[in-house]
């Protein structure tokens, strides 16, 4: 229905942000991650998802299109409704959710309120291929002017940086990883596993 709402944030409560658009206050259910990006009485843009049922109509708002995409993907998982999807994204922001799915980190998902082991396993199973296809990380081919394994390693390090890791964390994770003959995606997966195991 709405792609986004742009206006002043007039009310902020746990799980709720109200956006004033032309004198009308739109109540947006949201995550703690999005709330942390907003300021009361300041202009903001929330990307929205509208959920219409027989007994109610709700708007869900997110600070980034990435978080909105994650929310929509989570709703596509059997047994995951809007409440569980919001809970997951409040505990595991988009980059961390991508990381958890790519590494099969079930524990990262079960920290979310109302998300048990079975639901976490369904999320990991059903989103693994979808997250791999939709991730915005650059797994492009290396330049012909650079040695292949060095190019893949550089791209992998850049991708890890996009996921929010510091250079120190990336450097520690890359130690001991064999990059020769590995693709960028393989190096990223190895590094993520190394970080999870630490």
């Amino acid at each position: 229905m709405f792609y986004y709402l742009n206006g002043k944030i007039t009310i902020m409560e746990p799980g709720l942000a109200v956006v004033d658009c032309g004198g009308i206050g739109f109540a947006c259910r949201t995550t703690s991650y999005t709330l942390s990006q907003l300021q009361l009485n300041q202009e903001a843009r929330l990307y929205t998802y509208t959920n219409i049922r027989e007994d109610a109509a709700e708007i869900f708002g997110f600070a980034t299109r990435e978080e909105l995409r994650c929310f929509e993907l989570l709703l596509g998982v059997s047994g995951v409704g809007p409440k569980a999807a919001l809970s997951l994204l409040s505990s595991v922001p988009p980059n961390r959710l991508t990381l958890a799915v790519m590494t099969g980190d079930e524990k990262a998902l079960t920290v979310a309120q109302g998300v048990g082991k079975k639901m976490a396993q369904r999320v990991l199973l059903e989103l693994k291929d979808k997250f791999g296809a939709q991730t915005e990380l650059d797994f492009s081919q290396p330049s012909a002017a650079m040695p292949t394994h060095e190019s893949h390693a550089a791209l992998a390090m850049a991708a890890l940086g996009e996921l929010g890791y510091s250079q120190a964390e990336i450097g520690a994770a890359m130690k001991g990883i064999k990059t020769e003959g590995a693709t960028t995606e393989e190096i990223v997966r190895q590094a993520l596993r190394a970080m999870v195991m630490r």
Side-chain angles (χ1 to χ4, degrees):
M1 185 179 291
F2 307 113
Y3 187 73
Y4 64 78
L5 294 172
N6 201 86
K8 185 181 290 186
I9 304 299
T10 57
I11 297 173
M12 288 174 63
E13 297 175 357
L16 176 72
V18 176
V19 187
D20 186 313
C21 300
I24 300 173
F26 290 89
C28 296
R29 299 294 169 190
T30 192
T31 64
S32 56
Y33 173 80
T34 285
L35 287 172
S36 72
Q37 309 299 308
L38 304 176
Q39 290 185 19
L40 199 59
N41 296 319
Q42 297 294 315
E43 294 285 323
R45 174 176 293 176
L46 292 182
Y47 296 93
T48 60
Y49 176 92
T50 305
N51 185 42
I52 299 175
R53 306 192 312 264
E54 287 184 12
D55 58 341
E58 291 180 304
I59 300 173
F60 298 86
F62 304 95
T64 65
R65 286 184 293 176
E66 180 187 15
E67 191 178 23
L68 172 60
R69 281 196 298 271
C70 287
F71 180 76
E72 291 172 335
L73 285 171
L74 285 167
L75 290 183
V77 175
S78 58
V80 176
K83 187 176 179 180
L86 282 183
S87 179
L88 274 164
L89 287 170
S90 286
S91 301
V92 191
N95 286 344
R96 298 299 181 185
L97 180 63
T98 302
L99 166 63
V101 172
M102 289 176 71
T103 58
D105 187 1
E106 183 183 304
K107 289 182 180 178
L109 303 185
T110 55
V111 298
Q113 186 176 359
V115 177
K117 186 175 181 178
K118 288 184 179 180
M119 183 181 289
Q121 289 173 340
R122 282 199 304 272
V123 169
L124 295 177
L125 178 66
E126 295 184 33
L127 293 189
K128 186 175 182 182
D129 292 336
K130 292 180 182 179
F131 267 60
Q134 296 199 15
T135 181
E136 295 181 1
L137 302 180
D138 183 4
F139 293 133
S140 59
Q141 293 300 314
S143 165
M146 296 173 65
T148 302
H149 71 278
E150 290 182 11
S151 297
H152 282 307
L155 285 170
M157 291 176 74
L160 290 166
E162 287 295 315
L163 282 173
Y165 287 100
S166 68
Q167 289 301 311
E169 290 174 314
I170 294 169
M174 293 292 286
K175 285 181 181 177
I177 292 177
K178 293 182 180 179
T179 59
E180 195 165 353
T183 66
T184 303
E185 188 168 5
E186 287 169 345
I187 295 170
V188 169
R189 289 183 189 281
Q190 288 183 65
L192 291 175
R193 286 192 196 101
M195 289 179 183
V196 169
M197 295 300 290
R198 280 164 48 197

